[in-house]
Amino acid sequence: MANYKYPKALSLFTFFLNAETIRKNPIPFHNKNFEKYGDSFSVSLGRNRKIMLTRDPLIVKHILQKNHKNYFKSKIQTKYLTKYLGFGLLTSNGEQWLKQRRLIQPAFHKQKMEQLIALMQHTIQTNLEHIETTKAVAVFPLMNTVAFNVIAKSLFSDSEQNETLSRLQKIIEQIQVFLVKEVRLPHKGWWFKLSGQVRHHKNLSEESRSILRTIVKERQQSNVGQDDLLDMLLSTRYEDTGEAMSMKQLIDEISILFVAGHETTANAMTFTLFLLAKHPEIYSKVHDEITKVENETKHTIEQLGKLTYTRACIDEAMRLYPPAWITDRENYEDDTIGDFHIRKNTLIGVSFYELHRHPEYWEHPNKFIPERFLGDNKKKTAGHYYPFGAGPRMCIGLGFAIYEMVLTISYIAKRYYLSTTQKEVQLNPLITLKPLDVTILFKER
């Protein structure tokens, strides 16, 4: 029998004692045990079964990059999502994932993303030119609408069906809320089925797929190119067969783009605005940089490349509040990682939130210091900073998200002063790290 070695373990009894607290917000539980046991700890689920949690950068690099072929996304990430979103990049493993990644990657090439910048700019301006300025504004709903409309218009640039897209947004949000309930409360799965909640949300999923199919068919029948994401996805071909994606696969991928591509970005922009509102001296530097860069060039892509301090503020906000705050993997085969020897099918949770605040790798880890991501300082963050994951499964929409966030923050900084009376932001760590009840006062410049 193999001699397995795991990090120090909590008993299952201790874990269950804290179950309700963990369900509501696992971050304090994680933090307490990392402080107590070190950069990795485990939970015993019986004689031969353990789960691991880690903030150790060597383990993170091992499972996401060095030995990634031995690791797959767990059922926690895939089982629930596939019910409503199908099998796309976010929810598939192995050969299916690799096949889709190779197919879709070219659509997210830097040059392709640059073609979408004018669309992004127009959408951002349309959604932000009339912000309420007489009272504090709830920021997340505003950023969520911006991010949804940016992905919608980038996919379907010719769609004027605002009511249809609004319905699609409501459906996606309802499904996301229910997904979290299913993941957090697996012991209530029988009740969700019996009460018809699973069936109801599957019906909502089919309604959203029907909306998307209609939009895709209209585009195919029009034979008019739009140079948007939908055109790029329709034009992709598998290397081995030369065929395009099936309609089902295309709808799976578009559904996942909507889900993965808007809430994480909305979260990041909300956290960034909150931190800028809290630090007026930093916000003033952002405004000054934008003014300077706009005087140097009118070319948007050149401007985006020069807005290094604005980008550093976003990077630092995602360090403190990574939208994808945790991920997990399971191993196909037994593996040795540093001092540990783990059995196959061990679930490993990686806390990017904790790694991003690890005092060994970050000076003043809880402070908002954008300069960490400027010049040579950026080299110090390598290996400890994962806002978009790492390795072959790094977020495919990274470039898209960065362009969108820099455009949004710079648009707001040019037009509004920001202030907030809130000292801290309340967190709701769901599938993504969600900010709760962030309010900011916008005042026209």
Side-chain angles (χ1 to χ4, degrees):
M1 182 177 169
N3 186 22
Y4 297 111
K5 184 183 178 186
Y6 283 84
K8 290 177 183 175
L10 303 172
S11 70
L12 190 57
F13 177 72
T14 304
F15 186 74
F16 276 129
L17 268 183
N18 291 276
E20 185 58 22
T21 306
I22 294 167
R23 184 186 71 76
K24 287 178 180 173
N25 182 355
I27 286 177
F29 175 81
H30 292 174
N31 181 259
K32 177 178 138 187
N33 287 292
F34 283 130
E35 292 300 313
K36 184 176 180 181
Y37 295 109
D39 288 348
S40 300
F41 65 93
S42 56
V43 178
S44 296
L45 301 180
R47 212 174 80 184
N48 295 322
R49 180 87 169 130
K50 284 185 171 68
I51 61 174
M52 271 177 66
L53 275 150
T54 190
R55 64 175 185 180
D56 184 328
L58 294 178
I59 294 178
V60 175
K61 190 168 187 178
H62 180 87
I63 67 176
L64 297 184
Q65 294 173 284
K66 284 189 173 179
N67 198 26
H68 68 89
K69 289 183 178 177
N70 190 36
Y71 288 84
F72 59 96
K73 281 195 171 187
S74 76
K75 287 181 183 174
I76 292 174
Q77 287 198 67
T78 58
K79 173 185 169 186
Y80 298 104
L81 291 170
T82 51
K83 265 196 299 194
Y84 309 107
L85 302 178
F87 290 91
L89 273 182
L90 189 69
T91 56
S92 56
N93 278 307
E95 286 301 315
Q96 166 71 4
W97 168 80
L98 185 59
K99 183 180 177 184
Q100 288 306 111
R101 181 82 183 203
R102 284 176 174 164
L103 178 74
I104 295 169
Q105 184 80 52
F108 285 87
H109 189 274
K110 187 171 182 281
Q111 287 177 316
K112 297 281 189 183
M113 291 301 96
E114 288 175 356
Q115 291 174 22
L116 299 174
I117 284 175
L119 269 173
M120 284 187 191
Q121 272 189 308
H122 178 72
T123 307
I124 290 163
Q125 181 177 339
T126 302
N127 283 272
L128 296 178
E129 60 187 346
H130 299 300
I131 298 178
E132 171 67 65
T133 55
T134 60
K135 60 183 180 181
V137 173
V139 181
F140 177 76
L142 180 64
M143 291 299 105
N144 200 40
T145 298
V146 169
F148 182 87
N149 287 333
V150 165
I151 192 77
K153 288 298 181 183
S154 297
L155 270 161
F156 315 127
S157 60
D158 58 341
S159 179
E160 297 299 330
Q161 305 169 13
N162 290 329
E163 283 184 24
T164 304
L165 292 177
S166 178
R167 174 63 183 157
L168 191 62
Q169 183 180 4
K170 286 192 175 82
I171 290 171
I172 288 170
E173 285 172 0
Q174 285 179 53
I175 287 173
Q176 282 180 303
V177 168
F178 183 64
L179 266 171
V180 169
K181 280 171 70 176
E182 283 196 299
V183 171
R184 284 279 179 87
L185 303 168
H187 58 286
K188 288 192 175 180
W190 65 273
W191 168 246
F192 295 147
K193 283 184 181 175
L194 192 64
S195 62
Q197 293 181 64
V198 171
R199 184 172 64 253
H200 171 67
H201 287 88
K202 280 186 174 179
N203 288 340
L204 283 177
S205 172
E206 188 44 53
E207 184 186 345
S208 75
R209 296 176 75 83
S210 178
I211 290 169
L212 294 172
R213 272 194 299 270
T214 300
I215 293 173
V216 170
K217 285 178 180 175
E218 285 175 359
R219 173 68 61 85
Q220 287 173 321
Q221 289 163 7
S222 75
N223 288 320
V224 178
Q226 298 294 336
D227 276 342
D228 55 16
L229 270 176
L230 179 57
D231 266 12
M232 294 175 200
L233 293 173
L234 285 169
S235 66
T236 57
R237 295 292 181 271
Y238 291 108
E239 290 177 359
D240 53 346
T241 65
E243 293 178 358
M245 273 187 276
S246 66
M247 178 64 82
K248 180 188 178 303
Q249 190 64 54
L250 181 61
I251 300 304
D252 285 355
E253 298 297 354
I254 292 173
S255 299
I256 284 164
L257 281 175
F258 268 112
V259 170
H262 92 277
E263 187 175 284
T264 48
T265 308
N267 293 347
M269 292 193 297
T270 301
F271 287 123
T272 304
L273 290 171
F274 169 74
L275 289 163
L276 291 174
K278 257 188 80 179
H279 297 85
E281 72 289 354
I282 293 175
Y283 188 49
S284 180
K285 288 182 186 177
V286 171
H287 176 262
D288 291 348
E289 178 183 67
I290 292 158
T291 304
K292 178 176 177 289
V293 166
E294 286 196 341
N295 287 331
E296 289 174 357
T297 177
K298 300 302 177 192
H299 194 269
T300 306
I301 293 167
E302 286 180 14
Q303 289 175 356
L304 288 168
K306 288 171 174 277
L307 291 172
T308 52
Y309 190 75
T310 305
R311 166 72 188 271
C313 289
I314 295 166
D315 285 337
E316 175 70 342
M318 289 193 293
R319 180 189 70 81
L320 286 166
Y321 303 107
W325 70 282
I326 194 166
T327 192
D328 62 41
R329 294 290 189 271
E330 289 185 44
N331 48 324
Y332 289 109
E333 302 294 340
D334 292 1
D335 198 8
T336 299
I337 315 174
D339 295 333
F340 308 124
H341 185 55
I342 63 172
R343 182 189 291 272
K344 68 178 181 180
N345 297 321
T346 293
L347 176 65
I348 304 178
V350 173
S351 176
F352 297 129
Y353 181 90
E354 288 291 338
L355 177 54
H356 284 186
R357 290 171 180 250
H358 197 309
E360 194 173 321
Y361 309 113
W362 305 94
E363 199 174 338
H364 306 300
N366 296 316
K367 286 189 175 179
F368 181 57
I369 307 172
E371 286 75 13
R372 298 181 207 273
F373 293 94
L374 291 176
D376 287 343
N377 289 342
K378 287 176 78 172
K379 294 174 187 173
K380 299 175 189 174
T381 71
H384 313 127
Y385 182 62
Y386 295 96
F388 295 97
R393 291 202 79 135
M394 179 180 278
C395 173
I396 198 170
L398 184 158
F400 182 96
I402 292 296
Y403 281 150
E404 178 184 352
M405 289 189 283
V406 174
L407 286 168
T408 301
I409 299 302
S410 60
Y411 181 89
I412 289 171
K414 277 190 295 185
R415 285 158 182 79
Y416 301 100
Y417 295 101
L418 303 179
S419 61
T420 183
T421 57
Q422 288 177 253
K423 300 290 184 216
E424 295 298 331
V425 59
Q426 296 300 308
L427 303 177
N428 191 9
L430 303 172
I431 294 171
T432 63
L433 187 65
K434 205 164 180 179
L436 287 179
D437 304 323
V438 174
T439 57
I440 289 176
L441 183 62
F442 291 79
K443 182 183 172 188
E444 287 186 26
R445 289 189 183 271

